[in-house]
Amino acid sequence: MHMKTGVEQSVYAVLLLNMLPDKAVLPGEAISQQLKASPTYFRKLLRKLVSADVIASVPGVKGGFKLNKRPEAITVYDIYLAIEGRQSLYSSSGILGDLLELEKEESCCLLTDLMEEAEVAWKSVMKRETISSLAEKMNEQQFLLKTEALQQWVQRKMVA
Amino acid sequence: MHMKTGVEQSVYAVLLLNMLPDKAVLPGEAISQQLKASPTYFRKLLRKLVSADVIASVPGVKGGFKLNKRPEAITVYDIYLAIEGRQSLYSSSGILGDLLELEKEESCCLLTDLMEEAEVAWKSVMKRETISSLAEKMNEQQFLLKTEALQQWVQRKMVA
DNA sequence: CTAAACGCGGACAATCATTATCCTCGTTAT
DNA sequence: ATAACGAGGATAATGATTGTCCGCGTTTAG
Ligand code: SF4
Ligand code: SF4
């Protein structure tokens, strides 16, 4: 049981997009290069973020990706959800219903309820942190210098 | 990202063992039959539970498995931990350290801290429910009849 | 003491999810 | 028109999970 690495990559990709000035976009290949990810697979991740309305894409020459919401409105959970989808961590395989030979499945949930509650607790923590709060942390003392270098890289690679 | 089905199976296996009288044991094959799981693989799960000291095994003819703790002392989390192991849901692949070209990895954690907190929240819910609280729920009105049938099955299959 | 019933452990093989590549298409700036 | 980009699907490579097999040690029964 492990979270896809795509979630982490996506978070950092969105953080990069957050450094763009208004109206500018960053080509997908530049992003995957910077993240050292495989370009072809990374496009799939970006498209998932697009479907989830976290980011927007513009096609054509000088196309690329940009945020689709204010950074305060994008939580880590939004990104997780876009990449991992809605299926929950746990899902009953109906063993108990089997054990007890129940006809209808309703109201026989010893574990499902508990696991669902656990999952809600887990997700609620991920909902607390937003792209803008993460960006702030990147601007703290110890990272400031490197973060500025990153921003300059974004300036160079962006278009439009 | 999905939890192993072995966790669910193990929980129900432990619930079965909880129905045993003191000193009695249940052979592994009986358990896997009842759970409709593959016997050979299921033994692996049982052995994980043994290593985690959740259950105990006795070898030899008339051998089998039984609880190793009082049912109030076994949480769903204990079983989860036995099966899934200690590795966390999320683990950084060091992308940010890479992005920012940091030399040492310490104190550069934007996501790790958050994810760890989320995981703690998740696990703490699983720690609330114990085998004995689950067993109580099985004895509630709507399941009572079937649960008694299960107990009789346990009586028949147990040894020693 | 021998054999049979059981758990133990490791070396595989099969299955399934995730990651990665490729190729064709639609869109837009030049 | 063409070149640079994203969209989407088919399909491989990889890796984790699940499942099987076989030989071993231990204990009870005969
Ligand atoms: S108790 Fe809930 S989780 Fe377990 S089998 Fe029944 S419906 Fe599924
Ligand atoms: S910020 Fe934390 S999680 Fe991200 S790369 Fe650095 S150490 Fe790893």
Side-chain angles (χ1 to χ4, degrees), chain B residues 4-6 9 37-48 83:
Chain B
K4 299 192 209 179
T5 71
Q9 295 177 319
S38 97
T40 54
Y41 183 54
F42 199 74
R43 272 212 312 264
K44 283 182 192 290
L45 297 179
L46 288 171
R47 273 187 281 126
K48 287 191 185 195
I83 303 299

Side-chain angles (χ1 to χ4, degrees), chain A:
Chain A
M1 184 188 204
H2 202 278
M3 191 151 145
K4 299 191 208 179
T5 70
V7 176
E8 184 183 7
Q9 295 177 318
S10 298
V11 169
Y12 291 127
V14 173
L15 278 170
L16 284 180
L17 294 181
N18 183 43
M19 291 176 172
L20 284 171
D22 253 21
K23 308 281 177 182
V25 302
L26 202 52
E29 204 180 329
I31 307 176
S32 55
Q33 258 172 27
Q34 182 64 291
L35 260 41
K36 297 188 178 35
S38 96
T40 58
Y41 182 56
F42 199 74
R43 272 213 311 266
K44 284 183 190 294
L45 297 179
L46 288 169
R47 273 189 282 125
K48 287 191 184 195
L49 292 170
V50 171
S51 318
D53 289 319
V54 173
I55 66 179
S57 68
V58 328
V61 158
K62 292 205 167 189
F65 299 87
K66 64 181 175 189
L67 292 193
N68 194 35
K69 301 180 179 187
R70 286 165 304 115
E72 313 87 75
I74 304 175
T75 68
V76 172
Y77 174 69
D78 292 327
I79 296 173
Y80 160 84
L81 189 61
I83 302 300
E84 293 270 353
R86 211 163 223 103
Q87 65 163 355
S88 55
L89 297 196
Y90 171 84
S91 65
S92 153
S93 39
I95 300 176
L96 183 63
D98 224 30
L99 267 186
L100 301 182
E101 293 171 15
L102 300 170
E103 309 302 329
K104 32 185 185 175
E105 304 168 6
E106 37 134 1
S107 81
C108 85
C109 293
L110 295 186
L111 281 179
T112 306
D113 289 351
L114 179 72
M115 291 300 191
E116 210 149 288
E117 199 185 333
E119 205 170 320
V120 168
W122 181 57
K123 289 177 176 175
S124 79
V125 174
M126 287 199 291
K127 285 177 184 164
R128 287 208 315 250
E129 200 92 43
T130 67
I131 288 302
S132 88
S133 70
L134 286 178
E136 269 174 40
K137 291 190 183 172
M138 280 182 67
N139 279 320
E140 277 168 17
Q141 208 57 32
Q142 62 281 48
F143 310 130
L144 196 49
L145 223 64
K146 301 293 189 172
T147 302
E148 278 168 3
L150 243 193
Q151 274 171 351
Q152 281 165 27
W153 174 88
V154 170
Q155 304 282 324
R156 283 200 310 279
K157 293 291 187 171
M158 75 186 192
V159 292

Side-chain angles (χ1 to χ4, degrees), chain A residues 8 12 143, chain B residues 90-100 102 104-113 115:
Chain A
E8 184 183 7
Y12 291 127
F143 310 130
Chain B
Y90 171 84
S91 64
S92 153
S93 39
I95 302 177
L96 183 62
D98 223 33
L99 266 185
L100 301 182
L102 299 171
K104 32 185 185 175
E105 305 167 4
E106 36 133 2
S107 81
C108 84
C109 291
L110 294 187
L111 281 179
T112 305
D113 289 352
M115 291 300 190

Side-chain angles (χ1 to χ4, degrees), chain B residues 1 27-28 44 47 57-58 60-61 63-65:
Chain B
M1 184 188 204
K44 283 182 192 290
R47 273 187 281 126
S57 68
V58 330
V61 75
F65 299 88

